[in-house]
Amino acid sequence: MHSLDTGIMPTQSYDTPAGARREKALMIVLMVAMVGVIGLLSALGWYAWRQSIGAEEARLGALAERLGQRAETVLTDARTLLEMLNNSTVARCSDKHIRTMQEEAIARPYVRAVGSWRAAERQCGVGFIQGNALKPPKASKIYPNGVVAWWPGPDTALGNVELFIMRLGEHDLAIDTRLVLDQRLSGEQRAGLWVDGLLLANSPPDAVLPEPTTLSRGLNIAPESNTIVARFSLDTIFPMDVVAVQSSGHFFSRYAKTLAAAGVLGLLLMGLWFLFVKHLSKRHLSLTAELRSAIDHDGIDAVYQPIVDLNTGRCVGAEILARWERSDGEMIRPDLFVAIAEQQGIIGGITHNVFRRAIGDLGKLLRKQSDLRINLNLSPLDLEDNAIADLLETELRKARLPAATFKLEITERGLIDSEEARALISALRQRGHQIAIDDFGTGYSSLSYLESFELDTLKLDKAFVDAIETRAVTSSVIPHVIEMARSLELDMVAEGIESEHQAQWLREQGVQMGQGYLYSKPLSAADFKAYLKTSG
């Protein structure tokens, strides 16, 4: 099986000095911890910052909406008042007309004057402006609905106050823009209102604010001036922009508790992360040390998964799988301890353990049943050293077993390199071993690539078997893989068969052998021998 690949090179040939191993492991642990901490703190800092920015945007957005609604109410009310006066049938500049203008002006604190015009002459008025005292030479805006507007400026000034003037038909209004913006701003804030792109009002009146067109909408942090500037746009009756400015110091002080809490949480999580990494590293180092000890004392066990003839159901062999039980009784997953062994360069020791155990368990049986084949997985590392062939030969000679008894499984990864692998595979076959390529279809091989190696058996990966007669992409590939094996005159073994329906399909396609839970789970040596007797 792919996750249980093993090799048989002596452990010491791959081993490194204990100090170097420990230093390397600690460096890896430190790097993992550092990356984890940096990532964790960055994510937490980003989240806290975004939360603070979001809260400030909401706060300033609410302020802008309040200011905009106030200004819109004032301007809409002013236009409504002008329409009402124009629609009145009362004689212009009569006592009743003047009294009406006075009452309406008094009712509106922002109104400084109301006047009545005939053509270009102001006939009468109420408030602080009388006669033609306020007659700007040129309008700022003329709207299609007839409203003429003069924006605050020197031409509209009354004393030190620059007024906003609206005229519609026969009447005009002078508005004190200081009262257009709601004055309920905190001391840290400055705000400005632009209507149709022209500045209408500032709060406070002497505030210097950036033009809305120079700002992007939303929150803008200006570190050079230590300010936070927000631009919010409204487009209801009038197109408006509100610009609010406040000191960045107030922003940070407002959210200091949030940022401090995030910092404390970050430190706590950092501590927990270090403890977690330390626990994992200690476990890894502990597992590595225990695994070395288990290998040195032949503590790696072996189980056997039967391989059957798909046509007769007779058991024709088995695949050796490594198992490891710690001294405290904990079973370690093969994919975990095999990965550790490969990283530490001691995978050969595991294979040597299970190989010798298989000879001890099944040697007598194999001498009696010469047609029984036991599959031994080899790691890609084994194919890098010719000594493996001699090691296999030595163990088999001691056990008085022919090389053909053990079929050697290699993964596609083991085929990727080279002339060395090709030469070693050829040498092993010459000594009598058959060669199987394991987990075919999960790696890199192609027909032309396989043709360059001397192989005997192709094992179809479980992923192909699972996809039989489904719409999975791989289900359309498996017939081509089978045909390829036939063209190379390779025997075929299907892995992971779990249903009779899969077995039937494979038989019809000409696949000779299979293994999987349909036939048996991995068995101890004693159970395998019993299974062999009952399989026919």
Side-chain angles (χ1 to χ4, degrees), residues 130-366:
Q130 300 295 325
N132 292 323
L134 189 59
K135 188 178 179 183
K138 183 179 179 182
S140 304
K141 290 278 186 178
I142 300 176
Y143 292 92
N145 61 5
V147 173
V148 182
W150 288 264
W151 253 251
D155 291 334
T156 67
L158 177 63
N160 293 324
V161 179
E162 295 178 348
L163 303 175
F164 174 68
I165 299 175
M166 289 178 64
R167 179 176 174 182
L168 178 62
E170 300 174 334
H171 294 83
D172 69 3
L173 288 177
I175 297 173
D176 187 344
T177 58
R178 295 176 302 174
L179 302 178
V180 172
L181 280 180
D182 192 329
Q183 297 297 299
R184 290 175 295 169
L185 300 178
S186 65
E188 68 187 76
Q189 295 171 332
R190 292 168 285 153
L193 173 68
W194 279 256
V195 177
D196 272 352
L198 297 175
L199 180 63
L200 182 66
N202 278 356
S203 181
D206 59 351
V208 178
L209 300 167
E211 295 278 343
T213 54
T214 65
L215 303 171
S216 59
R217 286 182 173 84
L219 212 61
N220 300 265
I221 297 178
E224 68 280 357
S225 59
N226 294 320
T227 58
I228 294 177
V229 184
R231 174 193 172 188
F232 295 91
S233 299
L234 303 171
D235 192 2
T236 51
I237 294 178
F238 300 99
M240 298 182 183
D241 283 292
V242 177
V243 173
V245 178
Q246 67 180 31
S247 168
S248 58
H250 288 90
F251 169 79
F252 289 110
S253 64
R254 182 177 294 112
Y255 298 102
K257 291 182 179 180
T258 300
L259 297 175
V264 171
L265 180 59
L267 291 175
L268 177 60
L269 292 177
M270 182 175 67
L272 293 175
W273 174 254
F274 270 116
L275 289 176
F276 175 70
V277 172
K278 182 180 178 182
H279 170 74
L280 288 184
S281 64
K282 285 180 66 177
R283 175 173 170 80
H284 182 83
L285 293 174
S286 175
L287 284 177
T288 301
E290 287 190 43
L291 182 58
R292 291 177 184 277
S293 177
I295 292 172
D296 291 342
H297 296 88
D298 290 331
I300 305 300
D301 204 353
V303 293
Y304 307 89
Q305 183 161 38
I307 299 174
V308 303
D309 185 310
L310 291 181
N311 291 305
T312 65
R314 184 175 68 88
C315 179
V316 296
E319 179 180 0
I320 311 171
L321 304 174
R323 296 290 185 268
W324 177 36
E325 181 179 354
R326 298 178 70 184
S327 57
D328 61 2
E330 179 187 6
M331 293 297 299
I332 304 300
R333 299 195 323 269
D335 60 330
L336 177 58
F337 74 78
V338 168
I340 292 174
E342 288 182 333
Q343 292 169 4
Q344 298 297 316
I346 57 175
I347 188 68
I350 291 181
T351 306
H352 200 179
N353 265 222
V354 297
F355 182 49
R356 288 186 301 184
R357 189 172 292 273
I359 289 177
D361 288 340
L362 305 177
K364 184 176 180 180
L365 174 65
L366 294 173

Side-chain angles (χ1 to χ4, degrees), residues 21-137:
R21 291 196 306 270
R22 189 177 300 108
E23 182 178 350
K24 181 179 179 181
L26 290 175
M27 285 296 294
I28 292 173
V29 169
L30 181 59
M31 290 178 63
V32 169
M34 293 260 314
V35 170
V37 166
I38 291 172
L40 185 62
L41 289 180
S42 298
L44 187 60
W46 178 87
Y47 176 77
W49 176 254
R50 288 309 308 166
Q51 288 292 100
S52 300
I53 291 292
E56 192 64 10
E57 283 184 330
R59 195 176 78 88
L60 291 181
L63 170 64
E65 184 177 7
R66 175 164 57 86
L67 295 176
Q69 287 176 347
R70 163 71 176 176
E72 185 179 64
T73 299
V74 168
L75 297 178
T76 303
D77 181 56
R79 189 180 66 181
T80 301
L81 174 57
L82 292 173
E83 290 174 345
M84 185 271 290
L85 293 174
N86 288 330
N87 293 331
S88 173
T89 59
V90 175
R92 303 299 186 250
C93 296
S94 65
D95 291 343
K96 185 176 181 180
H97 182 226
I98 292 174
R99 187 166 58 252
T100 299
M101 289 191 294
Q102 287 176 332
E103 291 172 352
E104 296 296 340
I106 292 171
R108 294 166 174 81
Y110 57 84
V111 173
R112 289 292 176 261
V114 181
S116 179
W117 293 71
R118 178 183 296 171
E121 296 295 327
R122 197 170 194 265
Q123 300 297 307
C124 61
V126 297
F128 296 102
I129 305 173
Q130 300 295 325
N132 292 323
L134 189 59
K135 188 178 179 183

